[in-house]
Amino acid sequence: MAFRADLKLMCLCLASLLMIPAGGQAEPLGRDVVMAQIGRGQQEFQAGQFEKAYTRFRWLLFNDTANPNRSDVYQNTLAAIRTENPLTFGVALTLLPSSNVQRSSSQETFHTDIGDFTIGDPEADKSGMGLRFDGSATVTHAYTPGRELSARLSLGTSIYTAKELISNSTSLWVTHSWLEPGALYSLSAFVSDTQYKDIDGRSSPDSRSKGISTSAAFALSDRNVVNLSLAVQNRDYHARNYMDGPVLNLRAAYKRRLTPQDTLSINMDLEASDTKSDPYAYKSIGLEAQYSHITQKGLVWDLSYKSILRDYEGTFVALPYAREDRVHDVTFGASYDKITVWDTVPRLSCTLRDHGSNVALYDYNAVDCALSFRRDF
């Protein structure tokens, strides 16, 4: 109870700070917006919704940068919430229907230097259903305002109508975070392990990865945000040693708030994999544009287009050339905050994918949907 009184006092201090002119400058967010967010954060904390309160005050620290005194209080509030609630959990359930669950080729014949092989039946039913369970536990220590050290253990299980896709995954992340006014930074080390169901006659696709990643987010203004991330990992396959090797991924994202209800995002991904076997080593570039809209009634929807160009290094087996993939995705997603299930707001998304390849084995089309339910507490 004493801590909740302290949080209430912090909120009252923030409210009083809002009444002090910030050097004659206009408030980019508007006083009403900031006051409303502070009030909701206080209510969420008092209701025991610690993660919602934490997310809201972190949003305020990132976006409300007009007054340094308020920023200091935001950092102290975040540290106080983490001190009160250092252990957090997340659970998620996702339904995954697909028109082509095993990524079967849209081609009937694989033409090679050693002959032609029948690889698919265009009339065959390729659809399937998947079910994904995820759970995580995170312990966080805010050793000083604006500085956090956390460890997260995640477990996941995927169940599919196609038994070849059934898998279990485990990952452990250790992260240091810097929470600054208008900027967020992180540095992580991680290890992950994925195991598939044993299938007679198939070499095991089980693998383990370990690596490091870093990210930074900057608020260039009240409307413009830039995100940068870099990850380097080494993949080690239990049986498919020819696919072992490092993978590097660089991501840059720009988000612009066009109006209070509309947002435009532009993302670019660069990735390179240096496997032991050249035909599986690749370099790729991905570009994505996304438009998001929030209606006054609480409906949130987004539409995106993504294109990926992926070129492989060595000539493919039984072919005189290297593999080249050209991927085009169109995705629509939506959620409605007035529809809740198990105290969560479900999200539905569907992706129309055209995965073109000059190797017939990897040339396919698919419509993948996901109905997800997630709760953090």
Side-chain angles (χ1 to χ4, degrees):
M1 295 298 294
F3 174 77
R4 295 192 179 189
D6 290 342
L7 181 65
K8 183 176 181 180
L9 178 60
M10 286 184 181
C11 294
L12 291 173
C13 291
L14 287 168
S16 65
L17 288 169
L18 286 168
M19 304 304 295
I20 302 173
Q25 299 178 358
E27 301 285 352
L29 289 180
R31 294 172 186 268
D32 292 343
V33 173
V34 177
M35 288 287 287
Q37 294 296 320
I38 292 172
R40 290 175 185 174
Q42 183 179 359
Q43 292 171 3
E44 288 164 347
F45 184 87
Q46 291 176 336
Q49 299 174 330
F50 301 114
E51 283 307 287
K52 288 185 177 180
Y54 181 88
T55 299
R56 199 172 298 279
F57 279 106
R58 191 173 66 177
W59 182 89
L60 282 165
L61 176 64
F62 190 80
N63 291 279
D64 180 29
T65 58
N67 189 314
N69 293 326
R70 287 204 299 271
S71 296
D72 290 342
V73 180
Y74 293 147
Q75 288 179 321
N76 281 281
T77 302
L78 290 168
I81 293 174
R82 279 292 175 246
T83 300
E84 173 73 4
N85 190 54
L87 183 60
T88 59
F89 301 91
V91 292
L93 171 66
T94 308
L95 302 176
L96 298 164
S98 174
S99 67
N100 188 356
V101 67
Q102 294 195 70
R103 302 305 191 239
S104 300
S105 175
S106 58
Q107 305 294 323
E108 295 183 52
T109 306
F110 181 29
H111 302 283
T112 74
D113 290 344
I114 60 176
D116 296 342
F117 301 88
T118 300
I119 58 174
D121 179 3
E123 304 301 324
D125 183 12
K126 303 175 183 178
S127 63
M129 173 67 74
L131 185 63
R132 174 78 185 181
F133 299 93
D134 289 286
S136 65
T138 306
V139 59
T140 304
H141 175 52
Y143 61 89
T144 192
R147 303 291 183 268
E148 296 179 355
L149 184 63
S150 64
R152 183 178 78 245
L153 176 66
S154 300
L155 304 174
T157 297
S158 295
I159 303 172
Y160 280 89
T161 51
K163 61 182 180 180
E164 295 85 355
L165 302 178
I166 297 174
S167 67
N168 297 305
S169 62
T170 306
S171 67
L172 176 64
W173 286 70
V174 177
T175 302
H176 188 280
S177 301
W178 293 262
L179 312 178
E180 298 289 346
L184 301 173
Y185 309 94
S186 71
L187 177 63
S188 302
F190 62 89
V191 59
S192 65
D193 188 83
T194 303
Q195 298 183 348
Y196 287 83
K197 181 180 178 65
D198 291 334
I199 304 295
D200 291 339
R202 181 182 75 169
S203 64
S204 171
D206 296 357
S207 66
R208 173 170 294 179
S209 298
K210 54 185 177 181
I212 58 174
S213 68
T214 184
S215 66
F218 308 94
L220 301 181
S221 68
D222 62 311
R223 292 178 177 269
N224 301 281
V225 175
V226 170
N227 289 271
L228 301 173
S229 66
L230 173 66
V232 181
Q233 62 179 304
N234 187 75
R235 292 177 182 166
D236 182 15
Y237 285 82
H238 295 187
R240 303 180 182 182
N241 297 333
Y242 54 89
M243 297 180 66
D244 290 353
V247 180
L248 182 146
N249 179 272
L250 174 63
R251 180 178 177 84
Y254 169 73
K255 180 183 292 186
R256 178 172 176 80
R257 183 163 54 87
L258 305 174
T259 71
Q261 294 79 34
D262 302 279
T263 303
L264 178 65
S265 302
I266 305 293
N267 308 316
M268 181 180 71
D269 286 278
L270 300 176
E271 187 167 285
S273 174
D274 185 18
T275 59
K276 287 184 178 180
S277 178
D278 286 345
Y280 296 93
Y282 65 84
K283 295 182 176 64
S284 71
I285 179 172
L287 295 174
E288 180 181 20
Q290 182 184 68
Y291 175 79
S292 304
H293 179 73
I294 304 174
T295 69
Q296 293 182 348
K297 294 185 177 181
L299 175 66
V300 181
W301 62 265
D302 55 76
L303 180 66
S304 67
Y305 169 75
K306 184 174 184 179
S307 179
I308 302 174
L309 282 68
R310 184 180 298 114
D311 292 338
Y312 289 77
E313 298 295 328
T315 57
F316 197 81
V317 178
L319 292 176
Y321 50 81
R323 176 181 164 189
E324 297 178 356
D325 291 353
R326 302 293 182 263
V327 185
H328 303 280
D329 289 347
V330 176
T331 301
F332 177 80
S335 63
Y336 187 41
D337 63 11
K338 290 184 172 55
I339 298 178
T340 59
V341 179
W342 303 319
D343 198 28
T344 70
V345 177
R347 173 177 166 80
L348 175 65
S349 65
C350 286
T351 298
L352 176 64
R353 168 167 290 188
D354 176 22
H355 192 288
S357 178
N358 63 347
V359 176
L361 295 171
Y362 303 100
D363 190 86
Y364 68 87
N365 299 308
V367 178
D368 302 321
C369 292
L371 178 60
S372 57
F373 308 84
R374 180 173 182 83
R375 184 177 180 186
D376 297 297
F377 54 94

